[in-house]
Amino acid sequence: MGPPGARRAQIGPERTLRGVSAAPGVACGRAVVLDRAGAHEAKTIPPADRSAELDRARHALEVVAEEMEQIALRLRDAGRHPEADIVETGALMAGDPGLAARVETLVMKSGRPAADALREAAEENAMELAQLGDPFLAERADDVRSLGRRAGARASGLMPGVVSGVLVASTLGPADVAELAINAGGMALAGGGVTAHAAIVARSLGVPMVVGLGPEVLEVEDGEEVVLDGDAGVIFRHPERGRIDAARAEAKRRRIAREQAVANRLQPAQTKDGHRLRILANAASAAEVQEALQQGAEGIGLLRTELLFLDSQAWPPSALQASFLSPILAPLAGRVATVRLLDFGGDKTPPFLRGATGRGIELLLEAPDALRAQLAALVDAGRNVELRILVPMVTSPEQIRAVRDALAQVLDGRSAPQVGAMIETPDAAHRADAIAKECDFLSLGTNDLTQLVLGLDREHSKSAPVTDLRVLRLIDATVRAGKAAGIPVDVCGEAASDPEAMPILVGLGVDELSVAAARVGEVRQSIRELDFKASREAARKGLLDQAADAAGQSG
Ligand code: PEP
Ligand code: MG
């Protein structure tokens, strides 16, 4: 890693490198390049010096294990237990005898310097993981690489510095992100995935991150000015003046908006004409819950439990689930906490479910012990909150009845929490009336619903298309079903915070919006600027106009 600002920024036309959005936000600043392909010079250690070199490598691994344990402790002190567990896994990897054996061979037999041996041994381990053909293990490969890089840096005498600016690296592990996030404005990775633990930690800590930028991003010069757009998933090299100004203005706007959100957290989320909404937050970590509450969230509308167990080799035991959930739920005493049952499947398939075809509740109902184990954990960890259990990927009312039956078996005299269905499949929306009759609340998952109705790619279906007539009709039907059953309807997909879609959803009559923790204040402010009556009329007119257009086109 070279010092930031070591080289002058090249003058040249602006270039856009495209990756995938892993954590939202905008960052503008000088690049700090953590790795560069082929940067290490080939050097051979003479045989007489090799055992001292091996000692250095072993010591570096011990130092790194200790550092990671310290980071994990700090995260645990801050109530960030899931992130701490992730980082602790890194400390365990540092003690892996297989890694140690590889390092020994590289140093003693091939005469590789300690730093290179550590990186190369980690790379070999990572390649093995990546070649197993399991996308989740492949992402753990990044954690091993990060460990090798960290140990290599220690063997060369480099200690972690205070890094500010935009970090550029091939990959980063969750421990790197937790450590570097304190000062880094943003992170740009050649590899990585949006479900990688590094991305989960970045999102929960509010650091913009773009992944999957490819090796080209490693050609960025240390000290070169870049603009990173975590929402769009791009990084701009040699950004034009206007781009830099706009990025700085946007970063400033977000900072000020957050400060205002915190200052206004006690003001109600009520439209100008007095219509009250409940604004809740989506979360998967204690850090997000804390941020949401600071911005005035009334509780949690979607806690995605599956994100805590994406590495699992088996259905997670009840006690383990309760221990993960307790610190996340602790700040929510007396408030609503909507915890979703494990929504495994699709892009959230842990190793033990590879090859399974179902998704969400379908998988859980095939594993009744696992369902009961999770319900018991929720009832146990949720005893101080107003617990609502949310059932993912529902397609029929029978599934809700089955969840209630399983719940009755674990209550053990305690009062039953509310149970609600995610309406995120066309089947569920078509049967919303029947499903609503079994539920205490409904929650519209507009991310999956939009994708499934319109046949779009999930990443591109998170905003405007929700206003497509085919989707709006299903949302409208769901809201009506909720009203007929006398239960609240929530929206927990990204559309709830989309500036175009949100007023329409409010106009259609949804009662609650659950949005990313970092957006709670912004959405609450937008509600205060809305006129409910006008939104209702606009939503109805929008539906009718689109229907007339569609009829005109087909006629
Ligand atoms: C949704 O589908 O809108 C939703 C909130 O669930 P997830 O994004 O976790 O699939
Ligand atoms: Mg979904």
Side-chain angles (χ1 to χ4, degrees):
M1 186 203 309
R7 289 189 220 185
R8 299 300 317 147
Q10 272 177 24
I11 308 296
E14 179 175 280
R15 278 183 55 207
T16 310
L17 305 184
R18 292 191 185 281
V20 182
S21 160
V26 179
C28 174
R30 297 208 177 270
V32 180
V33 184
L34 296 186
D35 357 51
R36 191 172 297 289
H40 312 298
E41 23 171 311
K43 183 175 151 201
T44 305
I45 303 292
D49 299 339
R50 286 182 190 172
S51 92
E53 195 67 11
L54 180 59
D55 284 347
R56 233 149 51 78
R58 286 184 175 145
H59 180 65
L61 276 175
E62 282 164 21
V63 168
V64 164
E66 174 63 26
E67 280 174 14
M68 292 179 114
E69 266 159 24
Q70 291 301 324
I71 294 172
L73 267 180
R74 285 202 296 278
L75 286 166
R76 224 172 268 297
D77 282 349
R80 294 180 176 154
H81 294 267
E83 290 94 342
D85 290 337
I86 292 169
V87 174
E88 246 162 27
T89 310
L92 288 178
M93 285 175 184
D96 172 15
L99 183 68
R102 281 205 156 115
V103 172
E104 182 172 342
T105 309
L106 283 162
V107 177
M108 299 306 288
K109 295 227 163 76
S110 314
R112 303 293 293 137
D116 290 354
L118 287 160
R119 288 192 200 97
E120 288 163 18
E123 181 59 32
E124 285 173 17
N125 268 18
M127 294 286 280
E128 269 179 16
L129 280 176
Q131 278 163 7
L132 292 176
D134 180 321
F136 294 99
L137 285 182
E139 280 169 355
R140 294 298 79 77
D142 291 352
D143 301 353
V144 182
R145 285 194 183 94
S146 133
L147 171 76
R149 191 177 44 242
R150 183 181 269 264
R154 299 304 170 270
S156 320
L158 279 180
M159 297 313 279
V162 178
V163 179
S164 58
V166 176
L167 295 188
V168 177
S170 50
T171 61
L172 285 178
D176 302 320
V177 177
E179 185 178 62
L180 298 167
I182 301 162
N183 291 293
M187 301 185 181
L189 305 186
V194 280
T195 53
H197 280 138
I200 294 171
V201 175
R203 277 198 293 278
S204 70
L205 299 179
V207 183
M209 179 186 270
V210 179
V211 299
L213 285 156
E216 234 187 311
V217 76
L218 300 177
E219 288 164 19
V220 168
E221 301 283 344
D222 242 344
E224 177 183 323
E225 184 140 40
V226 291
V227 167
L228 176 136
D229 185 335
D231 298 75
V234 291
I235 183 165
F236 299 96
R237 294 189 68 183
H238 316 307
E240 288 159 7
R241 191 76 250 157
R243 170 99 49 207
I244 296 173
D245 292 345
R248 287 204 177 123
E250 178 58 15
K252 188 171 169 197
R253 188 193 68 74
R254 286 182 195 233
R255 206 171 46 248
I256 293 172
R258 185 185 176 276
E259 283 163 13
Q260 276 173 355
V262 173
N264 294 339
R265 69 188 176 283
L266 298 178
Q267 288 185 20
Q270 185 166 308
T271 62
K272 286 192 289 197
D273 47 345
H275 178 71
R276 185 86 164 77
L277 278 115
R278 178 142 82 159
I279 307 302
L280 304 168
N282 298 348
S285 65
E288 285 164 291
V289 171
Q290 276 152 9
E291 180 64 18
L293 293 178
Q294 277 186 19
Q295 296 202 20
E298 291 176 53
I300 294 300
L302 170 61
L303 200 159
R304 290 177 164 104
T305 53
E306 65 281 356
L307 297 185
L308 306 172
F309 299 103
L310 291 180
D311 284 338
S312 293
Q313 302 294 337
W315 287 103
S318 192
L320 183 69
Q321 296 195 52
S323 74
F324 271 42
L325 284 172
S326 294
I328 302 180
L329 297 180
L332 292 162
R335 294 175 187 262
V336 66
T338 315
V339 185
R340 187 169 70 183
L341 297 180
L342 293 160
D343 184 18
F344 285 140
D347 67 340
K348 296 185 286 193
T349 303
F352 78 97
L353 283 174
R354 295 275 297 156
T357 49
R359 169 89 198 263
I361 189 58
E362 194 185 343
L363 287 170
L364 271 171
L365 289 174
E366 285 166 10
D369 288 347
L371 173 61
R372 279 192 296 271
Q374 181 166 35
L375 290 168
L378 299 193
V379 173
D380 183 25
R383 55 192 177 278
N384 294 326
V385 299
E386 188 193 317
L387 183 64
R388 300 200 302 190
I389 292 176
L390 182 54
V391 187
M393 286 284 160
V394 170
T395 51
S396 73
E398 291 76 25
Q399 292 172 328
I400 300 296
R401 281 203 286 275
V403 170
R404 285 198 192 274
D405 287 346
L407 186 58
Q409 294 170 40
V410 303
L411 279 179
D412 202 15
R414 292 169 291 193
S415 56
Q418 297 197 357
V419 177
M422 288 285 294
I423 304 293
E424 54 184 340
T425 66
D427 277 351
H430 289 305
R431 304 185 72 185
D433 273 321
I435 292 171
K437 289 198 181 98
E438 302 295 331
C439 289
D440 300 305
F441 65 101
L442 297 178
S443 189
L444 276 154
T446 48
N447 304 340
D448 278 306
L449 186 64
T450 309
Q451 179 211 9
L452 292 171
V453 174
L454 303 183
L456 293 171
D457 169 61
R458 169 82 192 240
E459 283 307 311
H460 297 118
S461 66
K462 286 187 171 178
S463 55
V466 81
T467 57
D468 183 286
L469 179 64
R470 288 163 287 175
V471 184
L472 280 187
R473 276 190 168 148
L474 295 181
I475 294 175
D476 188 36
T478 304
V479 175
R480 286 171 191 275
K483 300 263 178 254
I487 58 173
V489 178
D490 171 278
V491 178
C492 64
E494 302 287 317
S497 58
D498 180 89
E500 188 192 349
M502 185 276 274
I504 300 173
L505 296 170
V506 172
L508 289 178
V510 304
D511 306 283
E512 303 173 345
L513 300 173
S514 187
V515 304
R519 305 194 76 169
V520 165
E522 184 184 318
V523 170
R524 283 165 46 77
Q525 182 55 35
S526 307
I527 295 290
R528 289 193 284 270
E529 288 162 15
L530 269 191
D531 182 305
F532 178 55
K533 198 157 163 278
S535 299
R536 203 168 48 190
E537 278 157 19
R540 292 278 148 235
K541 184 167 178 315
L543 270 174
L544 290 174
D545 287 354
Q546 277 199 54
D549 281 355
Q553 274 162 26
S554 64

